[in-house]
Amino acid sequence: VQLQASGGGLVRPGGSLRLSCVVSGFTLDRPAIGWFRQAPGKEREAVSCLSTWNDITHYSNFAKNRFTISSDKAKNTVYLEMNNLRPEDTAVYYCATDLGLTSSYGLCHSRPPKWGQGTLVTVSS
């Protein structure tokens, strides 16, 4: 099982980025998968999670109406579209999964066992 995140970078406040997470060793037709982030000096927190078998999503409050999680099953890829970015969104973003968990809410409220490497998002003028 591998997860490979990419797409981070430097963006100005109000800008947008799309993160990608390419997965291998499993298919996006059953487990929940999600995005988490860790800002400097802070705990890792959930951003958004997706149930890949029924496409039900869960968002943390700060992500609602700004971020969108989606998947392309043919490409084994999960995306996080981030709009109206703020300086407080600066963090390392990780994709993660638990192959035994199908609930997006459950994954976002757990400590997933499988993680990709992070991708740094910096929001600054």
Side-chain angles (χ1 to χ4, degrees), residues 15-103:
S16 299
L17 276 177
R18 188 178 78 160
L19 306 183
S20 300
C21 176
V22 179
V23 307
S24 60
F26 66 102
T27 53
L28 295 174
D29 58 2
R30 179 168 175 78
I33 189 165
W35 290 93
F36 296 73
R37 70 184 188 183
Q38 187 166 21
K42 294 190 176 181
E43 298 270 324
R44 192 173 293 185
E45 62 181 349
V47 177
S48 179
C49 297
L50 170 71
S51 298
T52 61
W53 74 281
N54 61 9
D55 292 329
I56 290 179
T57 57
H58 176 78
Y59 293 92
S60 293
N61 285 338
F62 64 82
K64 289 177 181 177
N65 302 315
R66 297 192 301 132
F67 296 0
T68 303
I69 190 170
S70 63
S71 69
D72 185 331
K73 291 175 171 53
K75 294 183 178 180
N76 291 328
T77 302
V78 178
Y79 302 100
L80 183 70
E81 184 78 34
M82 303 187 293
N83 298 311
N84 192 22
L85 283 161
R86 305 165 181 165
E88 55 263 39
D89 294 317
T90 295
V92 178
Y93 285 70
Y94 301 86
C95 53
T97 190
D98 183 334
L99 299 185
L101 199 60
T102 58
S103 163

